[in-house]
Amino acid sequence: MLLATILCTAGLAAAGATGSVQNYRRATTDDSFQLYAYGTNISGLSIFYGDGLAYIGNMSPPTLDIATNVTFMPSPKNETIWAATPVNSSVAAKEWTFYIDPPTGNIGFVNSTGGAPDGAITTGFGFYGHNAIHVDANGGVNTLFWAAPMAGVEGTWRLLWNVSDDGNIPVAVKDMAPIVLD
């Protein structure tokens, strides 16, 4: 009986391990999505583009030259690459590629004419349910998103990768917008 329970549990774990890391599929023909951050005092705020880096909030820091909300879409060539397009049509760039940069902790966007920073990773993104994940080269599933408050800009944070410095907040990044109650 114990052996049967162990074998059954091992089988379920193996089945879950192979199926659980796949990209979350939407039921619509439009695969575009937006990303929102959730954490302490961050209740589903949008992730936006700011001079090549990812920010969280509803207000851009005044030091940014270009700030815009973005819509994401899996690349047709590789679904684990996320292309981001600006919502603001006056922005010159038409598409960026989302990246994480483990050596520096930056999360950002690189355009098609410029290369990603050394050490940056542009592949391996997906969803577990509605949670954004990154699957590393060894198959490890990571959700190492952190928010660093912006000095002098209330309600705005830099989105970082695996930077747990004092004052930073762990966040869940999701494709689910917050519920708005009337």
Side-chain angles (χ1 to χ4, degrees):
M1 179 72 171
L2 180 60
L3 180 59
T5 302
I6 292 170
L7 291 176
C8 179
T9 304
L12 288 173
T18 58
S20 63
V21 182
Q22 295 177 359
N23 280 342
Y24 172 77
R25 290 288 195 182
R26 289 161 189 78
T28 66
T29 55
D30 179 11
D31 283 338
S32 65
F33 56 94
Q34 289 184 299
L35 293 175
Y36 304 90
Y38 294 84
T40 304
N41 297 320
I42 301 174
S43 302
L45 295 175
S46 294
I47 293 175
F48 65 91
Y49 172 99
D51 290 346
L53 297 174
Y55 290 85
I56 300 166
N58 293 322
M59 181 180 290
S60 66
T63 57
L64 296 179
D65 291 325
I66 299 173
T68 182
N69 288 324
V70 290
T71 299
F72 294 87
M73 179 172 277
S75 169
K77 295 177 185 174
N78 180 341
E79 289 185 351
T80 71
I81 296 173
W82 287 351
T85 56
V87 172
N88 182 346
S89 61
S90 67
V91 174
K94 297 302 176 207
E95 184 176 282
W96 299 289
T97 300
F98 185 72
Y99 73 82
I100 58 172
D101 189 1
T104 66
N106 286 329
I107 296 178
F109 305 86
V110 62
N111 65 31
S112 58
T113 60
D118 287 341
I121 301 168
T122 59
T123 62
F125 298 104
F127 291 98
Y128 182 80
H130 289 282
N131 291 292
I133 61 170
H134 179 260
V135 180
D136 64 29
N138 298 321
V141 178
N142 301 292
T143 58
L144 304 173
F145 297 104
W146 287 80
M150 296 296 301
V153 185
E154 185 71 27
T156 301
W157 294 261
R158 274 276 315 282
L159 182 62
L160 299 171
W161 186 255
N162 198 23
V163 181
S164 59
D165 294 344
D166 285 345
N168 290 0
I169 303 162
V171 291
V173 173
K174 301 180 176 214
D175 68 345
M176 180 182 280
I179 297 172
V180 178
L181 301 174
D182 292 330

